[in-house]
Amino acid sequence: MSRIHVNCQTLFTGLEDQARQQQTLVIENGMFSYVGSRAEAPQPTPGEAVIDAGDHFVMPGLVDVHTHLVFGNAKSEEDIDLHVSPEFRALRGLFFTQHLLAAGYTSVVVPGDAGQCSIAVRNSINAGMFTGPRIAASSNVIANRQSLNDWFPSWVGTPEYFSGRLCATRDEQIGEIRRQAKDGVDVIKIAMDGPHFRPNGEHIAAFTEEETRIMVEEIHRLGKKVAVHAYGREAVLYAAKAGVDVIFHGFFMDDECIEAILKSGSHLAPTFTMLANNVEFAEDYEASTKSGYAAMQRRVIDVGCRNLRRAREAGIPFMTGSDSGFAITPYGEWHAREIEILVDWLGFTPAEALRAATSVSAKMLPASQPVGALEVGRRADFIFVDGSPLENVAILQERSRIRSVYLGGKRVEPTVPGYDPNKVSDFNTVKWSELHTRQRAVEMGKRPARIDQ
Ligand SMILES: [Zn+2]
């Protein structure tokens, strides 16, 4: 198999603090076989490809551990679960993988899905039928009574095609884990926060400590990874004690949680991007609906920043996720905002944040997909960036800065055609935003100001 040589002026391995100068990457069979100084690099033999990265910054392809590939940029829970078939969701997810690639994201963890959508997308890419990012696939989120993804009332439940699976008993929890493992998931997500609160305002976890431990044990026994949604202190604590692989959010954690995470070796992925976008962009809608959602998210950011700073200072490793797949976080747009947030809000150095978004996040990919660093033995996924993210991580959000994307040593050129959201994503059936009484019609100037008593 002929080798590919990539000459780089500036290279960031995804494992270190500094960029290296005058390096060469050698790729064989899609994997790095040499990463090191140009002077000592194996010389290309006649006919072998030599790529010159010029003055671009060469770094590992980015990893997002929290992208809902099949939610379709949903505006509502109904959009996620009701309006489109699982078959359409899978095809749509495949379409949107191109948006991820174009943004420099070569690997993605899909935490929570429906049926076998992301499994099908992953398998079709792995089979070589389509070009797309590496995918850690999942299936339905394991939920308890009205925890996340069991968001409709109990008389609706969680039919097969929903993104959640109601597992209210231990037998159901274990049975669902085994079903998902058989279907070929890489990751199983548990929705740890419940809808109930203590008088002091603390979240009550959706599962007991023992249930959590038993589920996580079974998931690990079957060789799969565990991700949990956990805002609440209790949810974080149970998840950490059970030894989950990644805790999403963790906003209300305390010192006991931090100690438990340090002991178990779990990772944190705050996924602040979605909250940041909610606060920044949703205010007009907020005013019209009076839902209080953005205001609530702002409070969560305040508390979450304080607690997650402490977690970082204690030495807990962080991953980066964006919660892409909602209308507030469309695919391909906001993934790298999380890197900027780690720097601006949590005090990460740029190198630390870039490691979080590459080598650390890559730990959530299956063992068959060693990615996330420019290192011998890993898959040759890398990007050329115009400018140095070590000087300003925000440039990773500028599409024009992502100059080339390589998957397994091959350059990919994803196409991201425009699309009609009303046919792809937005099937919301809400037609009226308010109550049109005759009084309201008068206020709107649609009727004479003569109201029948
Ligand atoms: Zn999510």
Side-chain angles (χ1 to χ4, degrees), residues 272-293:
F272 266 129
T273 298
M274 188 193 206
L275 288 83
N277 284 12
N278 276 332
V279 169
E280 200 168 325
F281 307 134
E283 315 237 333
D284 291 345
Y285 184 68
E286 175 92 348
S288 70
T289 60
K290 301 182 181 67
S291 71
Y293 184 54

Side-chain angles (χ1 to χ4, degrees), residues 248-271:
F248 294 133
H249 316 307
F251 301 133
F252 294 96
M253 66 165 60
D254 64 2
D255 285 353
E256 194 185 356
C257 296
I258 291 175
E259 271 173 40
I261 295 173
L262 284 170
K263 208 166 151 196
S264 68
S266 304
H267 299 80
L268 275 171
T271 320

Side-chain angles (χ1 to χ4, degrees), residues 66 68 189 323:
H66 199 145
H68 295 285
K189 181 170 173 185
D323 234 327

Side-chain angles (χ1 to χ4, degrees), residues 341-412:
I341 286 175
L342 293 188
V343 172
D344 288 353
W345 296 7
L346 301 184
F348 279 64
T349 66
E352 226 183 324
L354 293 177
R355 285 199 297 271
T358 53
S359 56
V360 184
S361 288
K363 291 179 182 169
M364 282 305 288
L365 271 289
S368 58
Q369 301 283 24
V371 294
L374 310 183
E375 188 183 49
V376 172
R378 300 219 197 197
R379 293 198 188 276
D381 297 355
F382 53 96
I383 57 176
F384 291 174
V385 183
D386 178 12
S388 171
L390 284 173
E391 279 161 30
N392 178 10
V393 293
I395 64 171
L396 290 171
Q397 294 168 65
E398 294 172 36
R399 185 64 59 84
S400 63
R401 301 275 198 158
I402 309 295
R403 285 302 171 86
S404 302
V405 178
Y406 286 82
L407 273 176
K410 283 196 192 115
R411 185 168 181 202
V412 295

